[in-house]
Amino acid sequence: MKLNELMHGYLGDKISEKDPLRNIVRMSRIFRFEDLTARNWFLAEILENEKSNHHYGKILIEGKDVKVEVQTHDLNRVTELDQEYAAYCDDIWGDVEVIGGSQAWET
């Protein structure tokens, strides 16, 4: 399941998180890379996209794993900009998968 499928009604296991204390919904996904070169390329592409669109996600890097979360903080919900951000991550991830052997799953 792709990160952006949340907004199309395909709620997979933990693809969205709801923080009960703040009533916030966000989209998130963990991407696992087999090598650091692919991970770094993926991150560079996402960071460049953030800069161009002035819309930023939360990125947690832990070794070869990258967790990406996106939401519109001012509105405390997922918006069209978040959907576009998620779709871009999925597109870049598709390029990484073509290059070779990484995997991703929803959180």
Side-chain angles (χ1 to χ4, degrees):
M1 183 175 297
K2 293 182 178 182
L3 181 60
N4 67 342
E5 288 179 341
L6 169 67
M7 298 311 295
H8 299 288
Y10 300 101
L11 294 173
D13 285 343
K14 298 183 181 177
I15 191 168
S16 69
E17 298 176 8
K18 189 166 185 175
D19 182 336
L21 299 176
R22 296 185 292 164
N23 198 28
I24 297 171
V25 175
R26 65 181 64 91
M27 299 169 73
S28 67
R29 187 172 185 187
I30 295 174
F31 300 90
R32 174 165 284 168
F33 298 87
E34 289 189 357
D35 63 70
L36 297 178
T37 301
R39 183 205 68 186
N40 293 344
W41 179 80
F42 177 83
L43 288 168
E45 292 295 316
I46 291 174
L47 294 173
E48 187 61 36
N49 185 63
E50 287 184 347
K51 181 179 174 184
S52 298
N53 293 310
H54 306 286
H55 191 69
Y56 304 92
K58 178 179 178 182
I59 301 171
L60 174 65
I61 304 165
E62 193 170 346
K64 295 180 185 176
D65 293 348
V66 175
K67 181 177 183 179
V68 178
E69 291 183 359
V70 64
Q71 71 183 46
T72 300
H73 298 281
D74 295 344
L75 301 175
N76 293 330
R77 65 182 178 91
V78 175
T79 64
E80 185 175 342
L81 282 174
D82 300 315
Q83 292 177 52
E84 292 169 3
Y85 184 105
Y88 187 78
C89 290
D90 286 335
D91 289 345
I92 297 302
W93 179 250
D95 294 343
V96 171
E97 286 182 315
V98 168
I99 294 168
S102 298
Q103 53 185 304
W105 62 93
E106 289 76 31
T107 63

